[in-house]
């Protein structure tokens, strides 16, 4: 679009220049007054004309008083014979000096040709521009195979300052592990002297948003070497063979500026197990992957290029990538624990005016399962909220309110529930909350609300006391009861159930299935897993499962899931019946105040 506009402007400018040129040349024609042939004849008769210059059909008449005029005669006839026809006497004609010139001169040529030439020139111009455009596109097509890797030297990210390990909070082990890589890039000779083989590939593994990209940049920043960044998906284009040639080009560039880091983000986009694709693009991906392997094998001892790659799905990577000599270093980055969350919050709070008594520890406590990117987003939301309230400092409350927004989506106060719906929602949430409070293995309740958020009608926010890495069967069983409590209480109070409980049911079913088939938590089925999760590459998600068990087991699994759900449901019902008084108290408060915070909730339970 922009290039069309640009062309148009160039075009227009050319047009103006030509037009200006022509008008400059044609100005002599205009500066001389025109006279009719008749008036010229009259003047000759009177003897007022000194001379006439004939140029084709154009007459330049010079009068006795030295004025000049232009006139035209009929073509085909000579001036003398015309004058004769007009009845000018021979004497009168003899008094006038008539000079005849060949019609011509550049000006005349231009004047006559211009009407044809200008459009021709314009069209010519236009075609030329079009050709240039097409050629440009061709050129681009020719550079397709080159990598579009972005190079930065660590010292040119957007803040204009180097990314270093100081910009990464927490992840201590990962940083220690990478320290070695930094050292190598700084002083390769030191290692070479001892005959130590340098690490070639470092695979950063971790959930999305845990700072893998950030760490890779920090390594290049610490080492002060160039950093070639490319995302796995960028290798795969419309055309076959492009990926492989981009890989070649990328490594060539890196080798030229060695020591350097090649960083391949989202490695799983190209590095999936080969030969398992169903989509049309897997051939291309395999070629790309093969090329990466070839390049990595091709490093000789003098090549100081380290390939770093990031993925959140190490399980789908091709085993060939992980063997020694390739990505043999694996750095795992976990979701941050409470201490790390606090550190990340502190880091990102720099530059945001936070009230003095803000307790980031409390924020960290409320955000288990948040990644670094989530925490960054959280503070950002809080800052936006503060700005919208026209305040100048972020308060603790702003941050806490933002947690729910990040977790569950924004509040939808415009979504007005009818009295009846509100009552159902209040009972439903009270059911979840009270059962969660009463069952010892379930998590404590932080907040109950009947304000709808995102897709949820109301919500109960319950958080573990501490970060948990492992979950026990008793915890899961309690969770099942909490999930089903909403359904159970609707049934008990209204004798009817609403669609509001459907996502609870789905979650409960999934949890029960996982307990039976993945965690070996069913005594009846024993300690084994069921089903080999296969993936459909082009959907990028788990697709069905390879059944590695027979019909009998299939039925047993279904029975076990049903049994777990049934028992959990009964326990929920029992808990509800025993705690009806508490539930009524919660419902009353919810109907009056819409939200109950943790302290108030604990008081209601007492
Ligand atoms: P990944 O590549 O693992 O998906 P990124 O490296 O892109 O995650 O992280 C996204 C953003 O989250 C970073 O730019 C940074 O602002 C923030 N972040 C993530 N982890 C950390 C951390 N440990 N310390 C500081 N900031 C972090
Ligand atoms: Mg990333
Ligand atoms: Zn529910």
């Amino acid at each position: 679009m922009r290039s069309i506009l640009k062309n148009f402007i160039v075009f227009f400018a050319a047009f103006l220049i030509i037009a200006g040129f022509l008008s400059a040349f044609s100005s002599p024609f205009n500066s001389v007054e025109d006279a009719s042939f008749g008036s010229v004849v009259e003047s000759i008769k009177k003897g007022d004309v000194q001379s006439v210059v004939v140029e084709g059909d154009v007459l330049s008449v010079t009068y006795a008083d030295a004025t000049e005029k232009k006139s035209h005669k009929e073509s085909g006839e000579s001036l003398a014979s015309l004058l004769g026809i007009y009845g000018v006497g021979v004497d009168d004609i003899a008094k006038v000096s008539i000079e005849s010139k060949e019609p011509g001169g550049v000006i005349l040529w231009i004047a006559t040709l211009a009407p044809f030439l200008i459009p021709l020139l314009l069209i010519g111009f236009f075609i030329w521009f079009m050709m240039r455009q097409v050629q440009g596109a061709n050129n681009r097509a020719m550079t397709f195979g080159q990598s579009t890797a972005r190079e930065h030297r660590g010292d040119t990210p957007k803040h204009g300052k180097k990314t270093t390990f100081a910009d990464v909070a927490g992840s201590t082990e990962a940083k220690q592990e990478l320290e070695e890589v930094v050292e190598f890039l700084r002083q390769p000779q030191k290692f070479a002297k001892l005959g130590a083989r340098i690490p070639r590939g470092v695979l950063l593994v971790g959930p999305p948003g845990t700072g893998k990209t950030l760490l890779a940049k920090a390594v290049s920043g610490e080492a002060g070497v160039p950093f070639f960044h490319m995302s796995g998906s960028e290798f795969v284009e419309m055309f076959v063979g492009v990926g492989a040639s981009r890989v070649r080009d990328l490594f060539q560039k890196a080798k030229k500026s060695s020591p350097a880091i090649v960083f391949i983000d989202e490695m799983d986009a190209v590095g999936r197990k080969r030969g398992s694709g169903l989509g049309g693009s897997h051939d291309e991906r395999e070629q790309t992957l093969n090329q990466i392997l070839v390049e990595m094998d091709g490093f000789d001892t003098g090549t100081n290029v380290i390939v770093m790659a990031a993925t959140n799905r190490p399980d789908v990577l091709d085993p060939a990538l992980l063997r020694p000599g390739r990505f043999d270093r694996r750095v795992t980055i976990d979701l941050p624990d409470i201490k790390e969350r606090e550190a990340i919050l502190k880091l990102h709070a720099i530059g945001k005016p936070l009230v003095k008594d803000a307790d980031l520890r409390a924020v960290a406590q409320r955000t288990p399962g948040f990644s670094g990117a989530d925490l960054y987003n959280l503070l950002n939301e809080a800052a936006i909220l503060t700005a919208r309230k026209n305040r100048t400092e972020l308060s603790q409350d702003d941050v806490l309110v933002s947690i729910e927004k990040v977790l569950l989506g924004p509040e939808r106060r415009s979504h007005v529930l009818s009295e009846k719906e509100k009552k159902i929602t209040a009972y439903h949430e009270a059911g979840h909350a009270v059962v969660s409070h009463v069952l010892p293995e379930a998590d404590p309740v932080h907040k109950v609300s009947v304000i709808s958020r995102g897709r949820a009608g109301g919500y109960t926010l319950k958080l573990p006391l501490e970060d948990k890495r492992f979950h026990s069967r008793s915890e899961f069983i309690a969770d099942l009861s909490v999930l089903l409590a909403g359904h159970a209480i609707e049934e008990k109070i209204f004798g009817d159930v609403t669609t509001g409980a459907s996502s609870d049911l789905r979650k409960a079913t999934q949890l029960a299935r996982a307990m039976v088939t993945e965690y070996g938590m069913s005594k009846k089925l024993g300690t084994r897993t069921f089903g080999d999760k296969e993936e459909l590459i082009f959907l990028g998600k788990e697709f069905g499962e390879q059944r590695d068990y027979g019909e009998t087991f299939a039925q047993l699994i279904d029975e076990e899931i049903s049994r777990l759900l049934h028992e959990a449901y009964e326990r929920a019902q029992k808990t509800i019946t025993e705690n009806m008084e508490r539930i009524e108290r919660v419902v009353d408060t919810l109907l009056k105040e819409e939200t109950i915070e943790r302290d108030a909730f604990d008081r209601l339970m007492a």
Side-chain angles (χ1 to χ4, degrees):
M1 201 55 229
R2 276 187 55 194
S3 69
I4 290 176
L5 192 71
K6 203 179 99 193
N7 274 356
F8 183 76
I9 290 170
V10 171
F11 208 58
F12 195 66
F15 179 78
L16 280 183
I17 289 168
I18 292 171
F21 225 160
L22 283 176
S23 68
F25 269 114
S26 56
S27 58
F29 291 100
N30 301 336
S31 64
V32 179
E33 215 179 301
D34 266 357
S36 72
F37 188 66
S39 80
V40 173
V41 173
E42 284 308 307
S43 303
I44 292 175
K45 275 185 189 165
K46 280 192 220 148
D48 284 349
V49 173
Q50 206 179 11
S51 66
V52 177
V53 179
V54 184
E55 224 176 326
D57 291 336
V58 180
L59 311 175
S60 306
V61 186
T62 311
Y63 291 89
D65 56 3
T67 53
E68 276 185 31
K69 284 190 180 171
K70 276 244 166 336
S71 186
H72 295 264
K73 71 172 179 64
E74 240 172 274
S75 49
E77 294 282 344
S78 79
L79 178 62
S81 63
L82 268 177
L83 289 176
I85 293 166
Y86 272 79
V88 182
V90 182
D91 298 343
D92 290 334
I93 297 176
K95 272 189 258 168
V96 182
S97 82
I98 293 178
E99 195 188 331
S100 180
K101 267 195 199 164
E102 273 301 302
V106 187
I107 295 165
L108 200 73
W109 273 106
I110 290 177
T112 39
L113 285 182
F116 308 99
L117 270 182
I118 292 173
L120 218 69
L121 276 175
L122 289 185
I123 291 169
F125 249 133
F126 199 67
I127 292 174
W128 180 64
F129 268 114
M130 296 295 266
M131 299 274 275
R132 260 178 39 138
Q133 283 277 300
V134 173
Q135 232 170 26
N138 269 341
N139 280 344
R140 242 169 287 135
M142 291 342 273
T143 60
F144 233 46
Q146 287 170 22
S147 78
T148 47
R150 292 167 298 282
E151 178 192 345
H152 18 176
R153 239 168 221 281
D155 48 14
T156 49
K158 41 188 182 302
H159 323 290
K161 80 181 201 342
K162 231 150 104 154
T163 309
T164 62
F165 282 150
D167 295 311
V168 187
S171 310
T172 323
E173 292 90 355
K175 282 195 268 189
Q176 261 164 19
E177 193 97 4
L178 290 171
E179 194 66 55
E180 198 180 283
V181 176
V182 171
E183 191 145 336
F184 167 74
L185 284 168
R186 278 212 198 115
Q187 310 168 292
Q189 331 70 272
K190 185 170 123 188
F191 291 81
K193 256 187 247 157
L194 292 171
R197 193 174 58 82
I198 57 149
R200 266 185 203 157
V202 180
L203 188 65
L204 301 171
V205 178
T210 42
K212 298 183 293 295
T213 310
L214 191 67
L215 266 172
K217 276 192 191 142
V219 169
S220 93
E222 290 281 333
V225 302
F227 177 75
F228 294 88
H229 176 169
M230 206 156 159
S231 177
S233 55
E234 285 174 80
F235 289 115
V236 184
E237 282 270 4
M238 213 162 29
F239 302 116
V240 178
V242 169
S245 94
R246 280 195 180 161
V247 171
R248 227 171 292 134
D249 193 62
L250 174 64
F251 279 87
Q252 222 159 43
K253 274 187 191 159
K255 276 186 221 164
K256 247 184 241 158
S257 36
S258 114
I261 292 177
V262 170
F263 179 58
I264 304 174
D265 211 348
E266 320 293 346
M267 186 66 185
D268 38 308
V270 286
R272 276 165 195 268
K273 289 190 188 84
R274 285 168 288 184
S276 65
L278 283 171
S281 70
H282 76 282
D283 254 356
E284 169 63 359
R285 244 197 19 251
E286 283 187 9
Q287 284 185 24
T288 308
L289 176 55
N290 285 339
Q291 191 63 40
I292 292 177
L293 298 180
V294 167
E295 292 290 346
M296 289 183 78
D297 286 344
F299 288 173
D300 43 40
T301 33
T303 321
N304 301 324
V305 175
I306 289 185
V307 187
M308 294 182 80
T311 181
N312 47 4
R313 299 293 313 272
D315 50 318
V316 303
L317 288 184
D318 196 282
L321 269 176
L322 305 175
R323 79 152 172 72
R326 285 162 183 171
F327 289 100
D328 44 6
R329 299 279 158 120
R330 242 205 227 204
V331 178
T332 308
I333 305 160
D334 280 320
L335 284 173
D337 62 18
I338 183 161
K339 268 205 325 260
E340 290 174 314
R341 285 198 298 276
E342 193 183 350
I344 294 172
L345 282 167
K346 272 199 186 128
L347 190 76
H348 286 302
I350 296 170
K352 293 194 174 68
L354 216 60
V355 289
K356 288 244 166 50
D357 56 348
D359 182 5
L360 290 178
R361 177 89 190 174
V363 178
Q365 213 157 29
R366 277 217 185 183
T367 45
F370 272 47
S371 68
D374 290 331
L375 292 170
Y376 174 75
N377 187 24
L378 169 65
L379 284 182
N380 199 41
E381 285 288 344
I384 291 171
L385 188 71
T386 310
R388 279 177 54 187
K389 287 188 188 160
N390 288 323
R391 283 196 272 100
T392 48
E393 277 187 327
L394 277 79
S395 72
Q396 173 90 0
D397 266 350
D398 290 333
V399 184
L400 292 182
V401 165
S402 303
I403 294 177
E404 281 149 51
K405 187 168 177 196
V406 171
L407 269 181
L408 302 157
E411 282 186 356
R412 289 194 309 175
R413 284 189 183 270
S414 63
H415 182 83
V416 183
L417 298 171
S418 70
E419 272 317 299
K420 169 101 179 148
E421 278 176 326
K422 205 165 172 184
K423 206 167 162 196
I424 296 174
T425 311
Y427 271 104
H428 182 108
E429 297 306 331
H432 284 312
V434 171
V435 171
S436 191
H437 178 86
V438 172
L439 294 180
E441 296 90 0
D443 298 328
V445 175
H446 276 246
K447 187 171 179 174
V448 196
S449 171
V450 289
I451 298 168
S452 69
R453 256 181 199 283
R455 295 188 54 203
Y459 59 94
T460 301
L461 197 64
K462 48 191 178 51
L463 297 168
L465 283 176
E466 59 214 14
D467 288 356
K468 287 184 197 162
R469 205 145 284 220
F470 303 115
H471 298 270
S472 63
R473 180 167 67 188
S474 53
E475 259 172 59
F476 280 151
I477 285 179
D479 283 348
L480 283 180
S481 293
V482 172
L483 280 169
L484 295 175
H487 190 277
I489 199 165
E490 284 186 35
E491 180 82 62
K492 180 181 165 67
I493 304 288
F494 303 99
D496 195 4
V497 287
T498 63
T499 52
S502 82
S503 78
D504 293 340
L505 296 186
R506 172 159 308 115
K507 269 188 225 151
T509 313
Q510 276 167 357
L511 178 55
R513 171 171 287 277
M515 285 169 72
V516 174
T517 62
E518 283 175 42
Y519 306 138
M521 288 180 178
S522 153
K523 289 216 177 76
K524 209 163 176 184
L525 287 166
T527 45
R528 63 163 286 192
T529 62
F530 295 92
D532 198 10
K533 291 254 159 35
E534 266 293 314
E535 280 201 302
L536 205 54
I537 267 63
F538 62 84
L539 287 179
K541 56 180 183 189
E542 277 156 14
F543 169 76
E545 43 166 33
Q546 200 93 11
R547 262 209 189 178
D548 57 358
Y549 51 89
E551 281 305 318
T552 343
F553 269 123
Q555 198 171 352
L556 275 177
I557 289 170
D558 280 345
E559 280 168 15
E560 272 298 280
I561 292 171
S562 295
R563 189 184 61 82
L564 279 172
L565 290 173
H566 184 71
E567 284 177 13
Y569 194 73
E570 285 189 333
R571 201 171 324 106
Q573 279 178 320
K574 185 161 157 271
T575 316
I576 288 168
T577 315
E578 284 168 3
N579 292 278
M580 216 43 221
E581 221 177 298
R582 285 167 158 173
I583 290 177
E584 292 295 353
R585 260 180 275 159
V586 174
V587 169
D588 281 346
T589 318
L590 274 179
L591 288 177
K592 259 183 268 151
E593 295 172 14
E594 295 195 329
T595 328
I596 307 175
E597 290 285 348
R598 183 174 183 176
D599 298 340
F601 183 79
D602 286 346
R603 261 178 270 128
L604 284 175
M605 291 298 107

